[in-house]
Amino acid sequence: MTTPDPDRATAAQTFYSRWAPGYDRLATHAPGVRRLRTALVDALDPAPGDTVVDVGCGTGATLPYLRERVGSEGTVVGVDFAPGAVSRARDRIERAGWANVIVCRGDATRLPLRSADALAASFLMGMLPDPAATVADWFVDLDPERVALLDLARSYRLPGRPFNSLFRLVVRASAPPGTKAHHGESPAGVLDRRVAAAHRAVLERCTETTHETRVGGFAYLSAGRR
């Protein structure tokens, strides 16, 4: 696995904490995002009573969907590395009064957990230095029965492909400073490569798998059961 650069990790934490309020609005209210989160949880298919981990939970936008599926007898654990995002996620939980939902600070490459029935991650893979290795470690360290990933990347089919130029601009504007200089390629190129590697890792390590694209081919959803 690629060793994270401590300086870049700190810069990313600061970046995503600073933008947590704006991201929260997008993650909750952007057109179509609720349908995507519903599709993620449907693909994961958690059962009542399960312990489910939302890796890179951000401000907690997916937590309500997961909590609804596991019920009051289940447990939902959110993990995120950005202090600002974790604070907002905890506020969301407190307002809702969920006793069985918790959020903790942690790195997706070194999850502070020992086991889980299912893992979900949304819009995370592009942020990880070696997402395929990270996904492989999840299967070993937490031994989940089910894993589901939802990510955005460039579209390779109609009707989305003509809008790739606009998508590249959005990715560049929302990427942490210095992404291109560090990787030697555009932020969109980094995103495409990482998303493909992570989703392939899920599909290769599970026996029952699903994969689909949505939103004109920009949203990639992969899930597997072992």
Side-chain angles (χ1 to χ4, degrees):
M1 178 184 293
T2 301
T3 302
D5 182 333
D7 292 335
R8 288 189 59 80
T10 300
Q13 289 176 359
T14 302
F15 177 82
Y16 288 113
S17 291
R18 181 186 306 125
W19 290 102
Y23 175 79
D24 190 34
R25 289 189 289 273
L26 286 173
T28 307
H29 302 297
V33 73
R34 294 181 182 179
R35 288 193 297 273
L36 287 177
R37 296 191 189 280
T38 298
L40 171 69
V41 176
D42 285 345
L44 184 67
D45 194 25
D50 276 354
T51 295
V52 181
V53 181
D54 184 6
V55 188
C57 67
T59 57
T62 306
L63 298 178
Y65 301 84
L66 294 171
R67 200 256 180 196
E68 181 179 2
R69 294 293 290 267
V70 304
S72 58
E73 65 271 34
T75 302
V76 180
V77 181
V79 180
D80 201 273
F81 80 145
V86 168
S87 177
R88 282 189 165 262
R90 287 173 175 167
D91 288 344
R92 186 189 300 272
I93 294 168
E94 185 177 354
R95 290 195 304 270
W98 295 327
N100 62 329
V101 182
I102 60 173
V103 172
C104 58
R105 279 194 64 191
D107 192 321
T109 65
R110 296 183 297 275
L111 290 175
L113 304 162
R114 293 186 177 181
S115 65
D117 296 303
L119 273 76
S122 53
F123 315 123
L124 171 67
M125 294 300 118
M127 303 178 193
L128 302 179
D130 189 346
T134 297
V135 169
D137 285 346
W138 293 349
F139 282 110
V140 173
D141 296 340
L142 279 74
D143 193 29
E145 180 186 358
R146 301 176 300 282
V147 172
L149 307 180
L150 171 65
D151 288 286
L152 298 177
R154 281 181 289 189
S155 174
Y156 290 90
R157 67 175 181 84
L158 295 174
R161 192 168 55 198
F163 298 95
N164 276 335
S165 296
L166 176 60
F167 182 79
R168 282 195 295 269
L169 293 176
V170 172
V171 172
R172 183 185 304 168
S174 58
T179 299
K180 183 174 182 179
H182 179 73
H183 295 283
E185 61 180 308
S186 71
V190 174
L191 178 65
D192 289 350
R193 175 167 46 79
R194 290 178 171 179
V195 167
H199 286 240
R200 186 164 55 246
V202 169
L203 299 176
E204 290 175 350
R205 284 168 173 79
C206 295
T207 55
E208 300 179 30
T209 62
T210 60
H211 173 74
E212 63 177 302
T213 60
R214 294 180 173 229
V215 194
F218 288 105
Y220 292 75
L221 175 59
S222 298
R225 180 189 298 267
R226 299 197 294 168

